[in-house]
């Protein structure tokens, strides 16, 4: 017998204007309604300290997108 589970993964990167990675975001949405896991990883702490407001805006946009995918997936 085989059990197949579907999940959706979403990845995003918060970068500086010149393309340097500040942080990455990850979400995994289970297809069976068991839940969603999200995480953020700061790639460069110095860049993060200087660009906190940008990263936080990007994180809010990422979260909004994840919520929309969750809602569409139900």
């Amino acid at each position: 017998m085989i059990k197949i589970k579907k999940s959706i993964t979403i990845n995003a990167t918060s970068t500086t204007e010149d393309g340097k990675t500040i942080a990455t975001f990850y979400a995994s949405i289970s297809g069976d309604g068991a839940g969603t896991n999200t995480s953020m990883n700061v790639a460069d702490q110095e860049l993060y300290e200087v660009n906190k407001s940008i990263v936080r805006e990007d994180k809010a946009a990422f979260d909004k997108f994840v919520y929309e995918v969750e809602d569409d997936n139900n």
Side-chain angles (χ1 to χ4, degrees):
M1 172 169 43
I2 186 170
K3 289 186 179 183
I4 298 174
K5 294 185 178 185
K6 173 186 166 186
S7 66
I8 299 168
T9 58
I10 304 166
N11 299 290
T13 306
S14 181
T15 60
T16 60
E17 287 187 16
D18 62 354
K20 293 180 183 173
T21 299
I22 305 168
T24 55
F25 310 109
Y26 171 81
S28 177
I29 302 169
S30 69
D32 61 3
T36 299
N37 293 309
T38 62
S39 65
M40 179 180 103
N41 180 51
V42 174
D44 187 316
Q45 190 64 42
E46 289 180 25
L47 281 178
Y48 176 75
E49 292 299 328
V50 174
N51 296 284
K52 278 183 186 177
S53 62
I54 292 168
V55 175
R56 290 174 180 169
E57 288 175 16
D58 290 346
K59 177 71 165 77
F62 178 78
D63 289 341
K64 182 177 185 283
F65 182 83
V66 170
Y67 296 145
E68 290 170 358
V69 173
E70 283 178 327
D71 293 345
D72 288 345
N73 198 40
N74 290 330

